[in-house]
Amino acid sequence: MGMGPLENAAADVDAAASAVEAVPAKAGSYAVLQCGEDSEYVRKAYGGYFEVFRALLAEDGERWRVYRAVRGELPVDAEAAALDGFVISGSCSDAHGDEPWILALVDFIRRQHAAGKRILGVCFGHQILCRAMGGKTGRSKKGWDIGVSCIHPTSAAARLFAPLKLPVHMPIVEFHQDEVWELPPQAEVLARSDKTGVEMFRFGDRVMGVQGHPEYSKDILMSIADRLLRNNLILDCQVDNAKASFDVRQPDKDLWKKVCRGFLKGRLQSQQQQQQQQHKAQLVL
């Protein structure tokens, strides 16, 4: 028995959502540009931040490698040309700083964007993408944001991630005191929160920044918080509040995997095109 228009539409959405998570026929090659050193805890518990990102983003058959950008390691032109995309990690450094490795990273981002590579930035990576594309970053006037916060997708995000049916509130782990002040020209806000005006943005179809940490777990965040507390960089109450935030809300790790993988690997754009073609076909019929 054939399906009516409404059933067809529902089936198209379900198929699109499944396709976002489908492994591409040709497995890609990706690199993490690590902008901070591994903490002792993360090294012992997870094997380093590279493995934390691989757990979030990698799929069977893909090739992943890490470059220690904080040490001045970046892919040479031939290596970069062989890669499909890059992930830029968080950092203890400021994205608005002028250390040589940061300036080199800004130049590298611009060249890879011009080459059509896909780039996903997280926390510091989100901010450095903003800077590289022509925006501004700096200290938040509201101070540290530590713990699980709810961010709110915009209508632009709802369209971009339509196959995923994003919820109105998306909890994510946050740990930052810097933020995006001014987006690059033509960039689009994808999410906001009560504390941060730009929680997510995209620049065209191949660059996206996420201020929070979709890769973090509670133990990773608390290990960093404890270290900063011992060095008198944050207060006891901030650590207590961060710990308590996990009792109030929990990030949906599977959803964040789909969001980050979908954008980094170009699935969302292909799904939008597919949906547009299906819509045109229905109009003709």
Side-chain angles (χ1 to χ4, degrees), residues 3 5 11 30 44 53 65 69 91 109 116 137 148 156 174 176 178 205 214 228 233 237 256 284:
M3 294 186 292
Y30 302 93
K44 289 181 177 179
F53 273 105
R65 64 172 300 176
S91 176
I109 290 168
T137 69
V148 182
E174 305 265 12
H176 66 101
D178 291 349
D205 294 326
L228 267 60
L233 296 174
C237 61
W256 280 110
V284 171

mmCIF file of all heavy atoms in Angstrom, residues 3 5 11 30 44 53 65 69 91 109 116 137 148 156 174 176 178 205 214 228 233 237 256 284:
data_model
loop_
_atom_site.group_PDB
_atom_site.id
_atom_site.type_symbol
_atom_site.label_atom_id
_atom_site.label_comp_id
_atom_site.label_asym_id
_atom_site.label_seq_id
_atom_site.Cartn_x
_atom_site.Cartn_y
_atom_site.Cartn_z
ATOM 1 N N MET A 3 2.002 5.254 0.464
ATOM 2 C CA MET A 3 1.854 6.208 1.564
ATOM 3 C C MET A 3 1.327 7.519 1.040
ATOM 4 O O MET A 3 1.662 7.940 -0.073
ATOM 5 C CB MET A 3 3.194 6.435 2.274
ATOM 6 C CG MET A 3 3.727 5.219 3.005
ATOM 7 S SD MET A 3 5.207 5.607 3.946
ATOM 8 C CE MET A 3 6.373 5.944 2.634
ATOM 9 N N PRO A 5 0.818 11.854 1.342
ATOM 10 C CA PRO A 5 1.801 12.941 1.442
ATOM 11 C C PRO A 5 2.366 13.111 2.838
ATOM 12 O O PRO A 5 3.564 13.301 2.998
ATOM 13 C CB PRO A 5 1.010 14.174 0.998
ATOM 14 C CG PRO A 5 -0.104 13.633 0.167
ATOM 15 C CD PRO A 5 -0.443 12.294 0.745
ATOM 16 N N ALA A 11 8.386 9.934 6.581
ATOM 17 C CA ALA A 11 9.403 8.944 6.230
ATOM 18 C C ALA A 11 10.674 9.621 5.748
ATOM 19 O O ALA A 11 11.788 9.176 6.042
ATOM 20 C CB ALA A 11 8.864 8.011 5.145
ATOM 21 N N TYR A 30 41.074 12.981 8.987
ATOM 22 C CA TYR A 30 40.889 14.183 9.792
ATOM 23 C C TYR A 30 42.049 14.365 10.760
ATOM 24 O O TYR A 30 42.759 13.409 11.095
ATOM 25 C CB TYR A 30 39.568 14.088 10.573
ATOM 26 C CG TYR A 30 38.369 13.906 9.677
ATOM 27 C CD1 TYR A 30 37.908 12.622 9.375
ATOM 28 C CD2 TYR A 30 37.726 14.993 9.114
ATOM 29 C CE1 TYR A 30 36.818 12.438 8.537
ATOM 30 C CE2 TYR A 30 36.639 14.823 8.268
ATOM 31 C CZ TYR A 30 36.192 13.538 7.974
ATOM 32 O OH TYR A 30 35.128 13.366 7.136
ATOM 33 N N LYS A 44 46.276 9.899 31.814
ATOM 34 C CA LYS A 44 46.179 8.594 32.473
ATOM 35 C C LYS A 44 44.816 7.935 32.248
ATOM 36 O O LYS A 44 44.723 6.724 32.036
ATOM 37 C CB LYS A 44 46.443 8.743 33.973
ATOM 38 C CG LYS A 44 47.891 9.050 34.310
ATOM 39 C CD LYS A 44 48.085 9.159 35.821
ATOM 40 C CE LYS A 44 49.543 9.392 36.172
ATOM 41 N NZ LYS A 44 49.737 9.530 37.646
ATOM 42 N N PHE A 53 38.686 13.390 21.772
ATOM 43 C CA PHE A 53 38.036 13.861 20.553
ATOM 44 C C PHE A 53 37.716 12.711 19.604
ATOM 45 O O PHE A 53 36.658 12.706 18.947
ATOM 46 C CB PHE A 53 38.909 14.904 19.851
ATOM 47 C CG PHE A 53 38.690 16.304 20.349
ATOM 48 C CD1 PHE A 53 39.625 16.908 21.173
ATOM 49 C CD2 PHE A 53 37.548 17.008 20.009
ATOM 50 C CE1 PHE A 53 39.420 18.192 21.655
ATOM 51 C CE2 PHE A 53 37.336 18.299 20.487
ATOM 52 C CZ PHE A 53 38.280 18.885 21.312
ATOM 53 N N ARG A 65 44.677 11.840 13.044
ATOM 54 C CA ARG A 65 45.990 12.091 13.631
ATOM 55 C C ARG A 65 45.948 13.410 14.393
ATOM 56 O O ARG A 65 45.004 14.191 14.264
ATOM 57 C CB ARG A 65 47.095 12.093 12.586
ATOM 58 C CG ARG A 65 47.015 13.198 11.536
ATOM 59 C CD ARG A 65 48.277 13.201 10.680
ATOM 60 N NE ARG A 65 49.458 13.430 11.498
ATOM 61 C CZ ARG A 65 50.704 13.402 11.014
ATOM 62 N NH1 ARG A 65 50.906 13.130 9.733
ATOM 63 N NH2 ARG A 65 51.731 13.648 11.796
ATOM 64 N N ALA A 69 49.426 21.902 17.966
ATOM 65 C CA ALA A 69 49.503 23.284 17.512
ATOM 66 C C ALA A 69 50.119 24.181 18.567
ATOM 67 O O ALA A 69 50.832 25.142 18.241
ATOM 68 C CB ALA A 69 48.113 23.794 17.138
ATOM 69 N N SER A 91 41.943 25.386 24.895
ATOM 70 C CA SER A 91 43.292 25.791 25.289
ATOM 71 C C SER A 91 43.221 26.642 26.552
ATOM 72 O O SER A 91 42.192 27.265 26.843
ATOM 73 C CB SER A 91 43.952 26.599 24.170
ATOM 74 O OG SER A 91 45.233 27.078 24.546
ATOM 75 N N ILE A 109 44.401 28.436 9.486
ATOM 76 C CA ILE A 109 42.938 28.356 9.352
ATOM 77 C C ILE A 109 42.482 29.077 8.093
ATOM 78 O O ILE A 109 41.664 28.559 7.319
ATOM 79 C CB ILE A 109 42.249 28.957 10.588
ATOM 80 C CG1 ILE A 109 42.467 28.060 11.811
ATOM 81 C CG2 ILE A 109 40.752 29.162 10.329
ATOM 82 C CD1 ILE A 109 42.063 28.711 13.124
ATOM 83 N N GLY A 116 38.926 25.110 1.012
ATOM 84 C CA GLY A 116 37.663 24.386 1.051
ATOM 85 C C GLY A 116 37.590 23.270 2.071
ATOM 86 O O GLY A 116 36.701 22.414 1.986
ATOM 87 N N THR A 137 37.226 38.539 19.649
ATOM 88 C CA THR A 137 37.010 37.782 20.881
ATOM 89 C C THR A 137 37.647 38.522 22.050
ATOM 90 O O THR A 137 38.468 39.425 21.859
ATOM 91 C CB THR A 137 37.628 36.370 20.789
ATOM 92 O OG1 THR A 137 39.063 36.479 20.769
ATOM 93 C CG2 THR A 137 37.172 35.646 19.535
ATOM 94 N N VAL A 148 27.558 22.576 33.570
ATOM 95 C CA VAL A 148 26.624 22.271 32.490
ATOM 96 C C VAL A 148 25.661 23.437 32.324
ATOM 97 O O VAL A 148 24.958 23.808 33.262
ATOM 98 C CB VAL A 148 25.834 20.983 32.781
ATOM 99 C CG1 VAL A 148 24.899 20.668 31.615
ATOM 100 C CG2 VAL A 148 26.778 19.815 33.031
ATOM 101 N N ALA A 156 18.168 29.370 12.650
ATOM 102 C CA ALA A 156 19.160 28.951 11.655
ATOM 103 C C ALA A 156 19.679 27.552 11.968
ATOM 104 O O ALA A 156 19.883 26.728 11.070
ATOM 105 C CB ALA A 156 20.316 29.952 11.623
ATOM 106 N N GLU A 174 30.484 23.516 29.873
ATOM 107 C CA GLU A 174 31.187 24.777 29.583
ATOM 108 C C GLU A 174 32.369 24.950 30.538
ATOM 109 O O GLU A 174 32.279 24.572 31.711
ATOM 110 C CB GLU A 174 30.245 25.975 29.774
ATOM 111 C CG GLU A 174 28.971 25.915 28.977
ATOM 112 C CD GLU A 174 29.055 26.650 27.662
ATOM 113 O OE1 GLU A 174 30.171 27.018 27.248
ATOM 114 O OE2 GLU A 174 27.986 26.877 27.056
ATOM 115 N N HIS A 176 34.923 28.261 30.345
ATOM 116 C CA HIS A 176 35.588 29.357 29.632
ATOM 117 C C HIS A 176 35.359 30.676 30.344
ATOM 118 O O HIS A 176 34.379 30.851 31.066
ATOM 119 C CB HIS A 176 35.068 29.451 28.192
ATOM 120 C CG HIS A 176 33.620 29.846 28.083
ATOM 121 N ND1 HIS A 176 33.223 31.128 27.780
ATOM 122 C CD2 HIS A 176 32.480 29.138 28.243
ATOM 123 C CE1 HIS A 176 31.897 31.192 27.751
ATOM 124 N NE2 HIS A 176 31.420 29.997 28.034
ATOM 125 N N ASP A 178 36.665 33.446 28.217
ATOM 126 C CA ASP A 178 36.688 34.243 26.991
ATOM 127 C C ASP A 178 35.462 33.884 26.159
ATOM 128 O O ASP A 178 34.833 32.843 26.364
ATOM 129 C CB ASP A 178 37.952 33.953 26.177
ATOM 130 C CG ASP A 178 39.212 34.479 26.851
ATOM 131 O OD1 ASP A 178 39.089 35.238 27.833
ATOM 132 O OD2 ASP A 178 40.315 34.110 26.406
ATOM 133 N N ASP A 205 29.423 27.056 4.761
ATOM 134 C CA ASP A 205 29.019 25.661 4.947
ATOM 135 C C ASP A 205 30.118 24.779 5.514
ATOM 136 O O ASP A 205 29.895 23.588 5.731
ATOM 137 C CB ASP A 205 28.564 25.067 3.604
ATOM 138 C CG ASP A 205 27.297 25.722 3.091
ATOM 139 O OD1 ASP A 205 26.453 26.097 3.926
ATOM 140 O OD2 ASP A 205 27.158 25.872 1.853
ATOM 141 N N PRO A 214 31.538 19.623 23.840
ATOM 142 C CA PRO A 214 30.769 18.387 23.631
ATOM 143 C C PRO A 214 31.581 17.135 23.922
ATOM 144 O O PRO A 214 31.012 16.065 24.144
ATOM 145 C CB PRO A 214 30.380 18.468 22.147
ATOM 146 C CG PRO A 214 31.358 19.409 21.529
ATOM 147 C CD PRO A 214 31.712 20.397 22.592
ATOM 148 N N LEU A 228 42.600 24.298 38.753
ATOM 149 C CA LEU A 228 42.520 25.763 38.793
ATOM 150 C C LEU A 228 42.270 26.263 40.215
ATOM 151 O O LEU A 228 42.789 27.320 40.610
ATOM 152 C CB LEU A 228 41.428 26.261 37.860
ATOM 153 C CG LEU A 228 41.886 26.636 36.439
ATOM 154 C CD1 LEU A 228 42.506 25.469 35.717
ATOM 155 C CD2 LEU A 228 40.726 27.215 35.630
ATOM 156 N N LEU A 233 42.888 30.183 40.832
ATOM 157 C CA LEU A 233 42.388 30.847 39.636
ATOM 158 C C LEU A 233 40.864 30.904 39.607
ATOM 159 O O LEU A 233 40.281 31.709 38.865
ATOM 160 C CB LEU A 233 42.919 30.134 38.386
ATOM 161 C CG LEU A 233 44.453 30.191 38.221
ATOM 162 C CD1 LEU A 233 44.886 29.331 37.048
ATOM 163 C CD2 LEU A 233 44.905 31.634 38.019
ATOM 164 N N CYS A 237 33.275 28.149 45.519
ATOM 165 C CA CYS A 237 31.865 28.165 45.162
ATOM 166 C C CYS A 237 31.649 27.847 43.685
ATOM 167 O O CYS A 237 30.638 27.233 43.308
ATOM 168 C CB CYS A 237 31.235 29.509 45.519
ATOM 169 S SG CYS A 237 31.943 30.931 44.675
ATOM 170 N N TRP A 256 25.103 15.373 20.570
ATOM 171 C CA TRP A 256 26.267 16.182 20.238
ATOM 172 C C TRP A 256 27.188 15.462 19.247
ATOM 173 O O TRP A 256 27.815 16.099 18.396
ATOM 174 C CB TRP A 256 27.025 16.586 21.497
ATOM 175 C CG TRP A 256 26.378 17.749 22.171
ATOM 176 C CD1 TRP A 256 25.693 17.771 23.355
ATOM 177 C CD2 TRP A 256 26.319 19.093 21.666
ATOM 178 N NE1 TRP A 256 25.216 19.030 23.624
ATOM 179 C CE2 TRP A 256 25.585 19.868 22.608
ATOM 180 C CE3 TRP A 256 26.812 19.708 20.523
ATOM 181 C CZ2 TRP A 256 25.341 21.224 22.419
ATOM 182 C CZ3 TRP A 256 26.569 21.066 20.341
ATOM 183 C CH2 TRP A 256 25.840 21.805 21.278
ATOM 184 N N VAL A 284 6.165 18.656 -8.151
ATOM 185 C CA VAL A 284 5.915 18.243 -9.542
ATOM 186 C C VAL A 284 4.799 17.224 -9.587
ATOM 187 O O VAL A 284 3.897 17.270 -10.441
ATOM 188 C CB VAL A 284 7.199 17.665 -10.164
ATOM 189 C CG1 VAL A 284 6.901 17.030 -11.526
ATOM 190 C CG2 VAL A 284 8.245 18.764 -10.321
#
